Amino acid sequence: MPKKGGKHAEMEKELQAQCKRAKVEAACSLAVMSFESPDSLFGSLISPIKQEMFFREYWEQKPLLIQRNDPLLAAYYQSLFQLSDLKELCSQGLYYGRDINICRCVNGKKKVLNKEGKVNYMQLKKDFDQKKATIQFHQPQRFKEELWKIQEKLECYFGSLVGSNVYITPQGSQGLPPHYDDVEVFILQLEGEKHWRLYKPTVHLAREYNVESEDRIGNPTHEFILKPGDLLYFPRGTIHQADTPLGISYSTHVTISTYQNNSWGDFLLDAIPGLVFDTAKEDVALRTSIPRQLLMQVDIADSTKNLSSLLRRLADRLENTRELRSSDMKKDFIMNRLPPCLECDSDPLTPGGKLPKIDSKIRLQFRDHAIVTVEPDQDNSVSIMKPPSCAWGGSAGWGGEWRGMRETHMMGTEDDSTSEEGASQQTHGLRFPLSYLDALKQIWSSSTVYVKELNLISDEEKENLALSLWTECLIEVI
């Protein structure tokens, strides 16, 4: 038998400690947040506002302020992130710029006060106390499990990446000048109080971040104080600024954001090339040559009529198309989203139980993390994709892979060139002939299904499909 101790023993000890912390946190979170499903999580986040009302009256339209006087919810919010967490987090090796920014709004401009290299807690606290600097902590879900659980469920709910930043601002200070963002924003007040001012957008549903000057934004449309347990939502493009009032030692809030570059315009830019490629195979009009010297001309007015006609042909084709070819947006989402938070339960990560047979009843695992997509290549294949952190090669190493995916969530990549080839391979997931598409949809859309009822011609194909999915832990046998 292998000796106990060393790195494996340390990892086991760390996992046991994480399990104990998770149980303590769960006792509080169960009472105020519902993690039963993505839908229930979002419902509890914006409670008492109903989801139908939120999307009908507020989403992408106007701010929503939910002020609560709920001690239990306030205590739960505080557990998400506290000023006192910084000392222990700094000991894990945080870096200025990557993990933490130190900044202050001075004369309407953002002044960055970062040092070089690793963050020293004593220096950080000194800048906070003496320079009245705001501490901006990037993507705390990498370290805080409860935020991981919340954001993972929100990514499933929205079908879009969800990031977060924590802002800790001392009294009588402001970290950022008036500005607007290119994301939908949910702000949870964790500690202390924050004075907020919101202004009418100059660019509705903005596609980029921008700082606005005080003389351009006019008077606030909303002005209020956020207290622990309160929630604020506002659409992208909403101009805002916030400060910690005098008499409040400091304020801590987390900004949860989503829907960056996730508009119809972005989707069209992503999906149209595949549509053009497919249509050109069957429509000779799209294969005819452009006029001579068109690329040399400044004014192409003579060709716009022909372009309009071709676009109408594409629109007609789109109306009769069941499947759009896989897009980069979809791949970016599946490659960069958070893995599911399984806490201490590793059973779903290992194939086990009965092998699927023709008479077996099966059920899809990780439904919110499995995506069926038609690949844009010439062999007309269909894939079922899941995050690369789920280790396509087998069960060994899943836990470590998932941890790595969480630690890099929303942080970008340090070297895209070295990982491009591996990433492109992993996005394919499990590939099958296009004739398997209906059967994959059947598994994805059904709570349970018998292998023998899959929409494939032969029993051999049905069993092979079920076995392939079972081997990768995508299904379980009921």
Side-chain angles (χ1 to χ4, degrees):
M1 291 180 65
K3 294 180 180 179
K4 292 185 178 180
K7 189 173 182 180
H8 290 290
E10 292 176 6
M11 290 176 64
E12 185 175 351
K13 187 176 180 181
E14 178 187 353
L15 181 61
Q16 290 174 350
Q18 290 174 351
C19 289
K20 290 179 181 178
R21 286 197 299 270
K23 289 177 181 178
V24 173
E25 291 174 354
C28 179
S29 64
L30 285 174
V32 295
M33 301 289 281
S34 172
F35 291 93
E36 182 180 347
S37 68
D39 190 79
S40 66
L41 183 280
F42 185 72
S44 60
L45 182 70
I46 64 169
S47 177
I49 301 298
K50 300 298 183 184
Q51 296 179 55
E52 296 79 9
M53 175 181 287
F54 174 78
F55 285 103
R56 184 177 65 248
E57 298 186 12
Y58 296 98
W59 177 253
E60 294 190 327
Q61 299 171 63
K62 62 182 180 181
L64 169 65
L65 171 63
I66 303 177
Q67 293 179 308
R68 303 160 169 141
N69 185 20
D70 186 338
L72 185 61
L73 186 61
Y76 172 69
Y77 272 25
Q78 186 177 18
S79 75
L80 298 178
F81 200 104
Q82 305 173 49
L83 175 61
S84 58
D85 291 334
L86 286 175
K87 186 173 184 179
E88 192 275 330
L89 289 170
C90 285
S91 70
Q92 298 184 34
L94 304 180
Y95 285 84
Y96 286 104
R98 185 192 72 180
D99 302 301
I100 281 181
N101 274 337
I102 307 298
C103 59
R104 186 174 181 183
C105 178
V106 179
N107 298 323
K109 295 183 179 180
K110 177 182 177 180
K111 184 177 182 180
V112 179
L113 306 171
N114 287 355
K115 304 293 189 295
E116 293 291 333
K118 272 190 176 183
V119 178
N120 177 277
Y121 174 73
M122 297 306 295
Q123 181 63 54
L124 182 68
K125 194 70 167 62
K126 183 179 178 181
D127 290 339
F128 181 77
D129 292 333
Q130 297 182 7
K131 296 183 179 180
K132 301 296 182 184
T134 288
I135 299 171
Q136 180 187 20
F137 194 104
H138 298 151
Q139 309 303 334
Q141 73 276 9
R142 297 176 294 143
F143 302 92
K144 305 293 286 186
E145 186 166 296
E146 201 68 11
L147 282 173
W148 174 17
K149 289 169 60 180
I150 291 172
Q151 289 176 232
E152 182 262 324
K153 281 289 188 288
L154 289 177
E155 286 187 337
C156 294
Y157 183 81
F158 286 112
S160 175
L161 295 176
V162 175
S164 67
N165 285 315
V166 164
Y167 296 87
I168 309 175
T169 303
Q171 67 172 322
S173 185
Q174 180 171 327
L176 300 174
H179 67 280
Y180 59 79
D181 298 297
D182 59 346
V183 286
E184 301 296 305
V185 169
F186 296 86
I187 290 167
L188 284 62
Q189 185 66 25
L190 311 182
E191 297 181 299
E193 298 179 5
K194 203 71 174 278
H195 169 229
W196 283 85
R197 286 170 286 173
L198 309 182
Y199 304 82
K200 184 179 179 180
T202 52
V203 180
H204 288 276
L205 301 180
R207 291 177 54 84
E208 58 187 5
Y209 168 92
N210 193 48
V211 174
E212 291 282 19
S213 61
E214 291 273 5
D215 58 359
R216 175 177 162 85
I217 59 180
N219 295 322
T221 56
H222 304 75
E223 187 169 5
F224 47 84
I225 299 288
L226 280 187
K227 298 181 180 181
D230 291 348
L231 179 140
L232 169 66
Y233 158 80
F234 52 80
R236 54 195 187 276
T238 302
I239 302 169
H240 57 279
Q241 61 179 324
D243 61 273
T244 301
L246 292 171
I248 304 297
S249 57
Y250 64 91
S251 163
T252 305
H253 76 264
V254 60
T255 297
I256 297 176
S257 57
T258 189
Y259 261 67
Q260 186 177 49
N261 300 327
N262 214 46
S263 66
W264 276 114
D266 296 303
F267 188 77
L268 283 171
L269 286 171
D270 202 42
I272 289 298
L275 180 65
V276 173
F277 181 82
D278 285 346
T279 306
K281 291 180 180 179
E282 303 174 9
D283 192 338
V284 69
L286 284 165
R287 302 200 301 272
T288 58
S289 302
I290 61 175
R292 287 187 310 105
Q293 300 183 345
L294 176 64
L295 303 181
M296 302 165 60
Q297 298 173 12
V298 176
D299 186 355
I300 62 167
D302 292 342
S303 298
T304 55
K305 184 176 180 180
N306 190 34
L307 283 172
S308 297
S309 174
L310 292 173
L311 286 173
R312 281 189 286 272
R313 295 172 84 100
L314 286 174
D316 291 340
R317 162 83 181 213
L318 184 60
E319 288 186 358
N320 297 308
T321 299
R322 289 180 58 202
E323 303 294 334
L324 280 176
R325 293 294 185 177
S326 178
S327 64
D328 289 336
M329 283 179 70
K330 179 181 285 190
K331 290 185 178 180
D332 179 68
F333 174 57
I334 196 69
M335 286 291 295
N336 294 296
R337 66 189 299 192
L338 280 166
C341 183
L342 299 175
E343 298 176 323
C344 304
D345 183 8
S346 61
D347 289 343
L349 304 182
T350 306
K354 298 178 181 178
L355 285 168
K357 301 294 184 182
I358 193 65
D359 292 319
S360 299
K361 183 192 288 189
I362 59 175
R363 176 171 62 198
L364 183 68
Q365 295 199 104
F366 310 116
R367 182 179 308 278
D368 293 318
H369 287 264
I371 293 180
V372 177
T373 183
V374 178
E375 291 295 326
D377 53 26
Q378 295 184 2
D379 60 358
N380 285 329
S381 64
V382 59
S383 296
I384 182 163
M385 297 160 50
K386 61 179 180 178
S389 53
C390 294
W392 287 107
S395 60
W398 274 37
E401 292 280 351
W402 283 25
R403 188 180 301 113
M405 193 65 178
R406 176 192 174 191
E407 289 174 355
T408 59
H409 183 245
M410 301 298 288
M411 296 297 289
T413 54
E414 294 183 2
D415 189 353
D416 291 333
S417 60
T418 59
S419 61
E420 183 176 351
E421 182 178 350
S424 64
Q425 292 174 350
Q426 292 182 61
T427 55
H428 290 307
L430 287 178
R431 305 184 75 182
F432 301 98
L434 192 59
S435 58
Y436 281 54
L437 177 59
D438 286 341
L440 287 168
K441 284 184 174 181
Q442 196 177 356
I443 295 171
W444 192 87
S445 60
S446 304
S447 56
T448 60
V449 63
Y450 283 97
V451 175
K452 62 185 177 184
E453 294 176 355
L454 294 176
N455 292 329
L456 289 167
I457 296 174
S458 69
D459 287 351
E460 182 181 5
E461 286 179 315
K462 296 173 184 180
E463 285 196 29
N464 286 341
L465 173 59
L467 184 60
S468 296
L469 299 176
W470 178 86
T471 302
E472 296 296 338
C473 306
L474 277 168
I475 63 168
E476 60 178 334
V477 179
I478 306 302

